[in-house]
Amino acid sequence: MNRILILFAHPLQQKSRINAQMIKSIEGLENVTINNLYNNYPDFFIDVNKEQDLLTQHDLIIWHHPFYWYSAPSILKEWFDLVLEHGFAFGKNGGELKGKTCMNVITTGARKETYTYNGFNRYPLNAFMIPFEQSAHLCQMNYLPPYAVHGSHLLDDNEVNSIARQYKADIIKLRDYDIPCSNFKKFEYSNDAISQLMP
Ligand SMILES: Cc1cc2nc3c(=O)[nH]c(=O)nc-3n(C[C@H](O)[C@H](O)[C@H](O)COP(=O)(O)O)c2cc1C
């Protein structure tokens, strides 16, 4: 079983339609730890030792967040800046994260077809993920393609429920199967990799 750490970053959870449901759907799953960063650190004073301990205790690290200004809400940047220290995550005496797997779970307001070179947002989603991907690479982690839900504003309640159910099913697969990382990297989205490689 993979031990999964969900680093959830959403500053407006009381207004969240989609992420709140997705997170709720995976609450209480065995070997899945949900670390709600805005709830745990409302003052942004991140407990670096605690966060580093959590990282070492898990195999798959998931940064789960709405897409804000083509990136993540600000607490996640704070988390990267403080937790992925030289000597822990990288550098001569670093390497604590070596061999772990990581991925972003993202919801976007804009529709999928806007995230193309000819579309409104001018780049595919994975082009915006390069800082995450390269940070993972520096830490010798396996970075999987993003798991994304697009067009979040257009979803009705039934669609939100079914996305949350699917997320739970996919998290269970990621927990219970060996993840074929190099095959995942052939896909643009981890959603598709999971459905095709982990039927
Ligand atoms: C500050 C802010 C920035 C946003 N930036 C983007 C963006 O860059 N691209 C995009 O597609 N949607 C963007 N959105 C839309 C959010 O991604 C969308 O509201 C969110 O995925 C909905 O999830 P929720 O119901 O859990 O809040 C932004 C929303 C806010 C509030």
Side-chain angles (χ1 to χ4, degrees), residues 10 12 15-20 66-70 107-110 115 121 152-153:
H10 194 314
L12 298 165
K15 292 190 177 167
S16 166
R17 277 189 73 229
I18 174 84
N19 288 284
F67 209 36
Y68 274 12
W69 286 108
Y70 304 102
T107 65
T108 78
Y115 285 98
N121 286 307
S152 58
H153 303 313

Side-chain angles (χ1 to χ4, degrees), residues 28-49:
L29 285 180
E30 191 188 350
N31 275 318
V32 177
T33 306
I34 300 171
N35 184 7
N36 188 326
L37 293 176
Y38 278 100
N39 283 4
N40 292 340
Y41 303 113
D43 53 11
F44 269 55
F45 290 125
I46 289 178
D47 183 336
V48 173
N49 289 335

Side-chain angles (χ1 to χ4, degrees), residues 31-93:
N31 275 318
V32 177
T33 306
I34 300 171
N35 184 7
N36 188 326
L37 293 176
Y38 278 100
N39 283 4
N40 292 340
Y41 303 113
D43 53 11
F44 269 55
F45 290 125
I46 289 178
D47 183 336
V48 173
N49 289 335
K50 184 177 161 205
E51 295 300 316
Q52 291 180 346
D53 284 348
L54 276 174
L55 285 172
T56 56
Q57 291 158 14
H58 292 82
D59 310 300
L60 171 61
I61 314 302
I62 292 181
W63 300 296
H64 180 144
H65 57 92
F67 209 36
Y68 274 12
W69 286 108
Y70 304 102
S71 185
S74 54
I75 203 166
L76 201 54
K77 180 66 165 62
E78 185 78 354
W79 181 94
F80 268 80
D81 293 351
L82 298 185
V83 177
L84 300 186
E85 279 181 319
H86 182 268
F88 169 76
F90 69 100
K92 195 160 167 257
N93 298 314

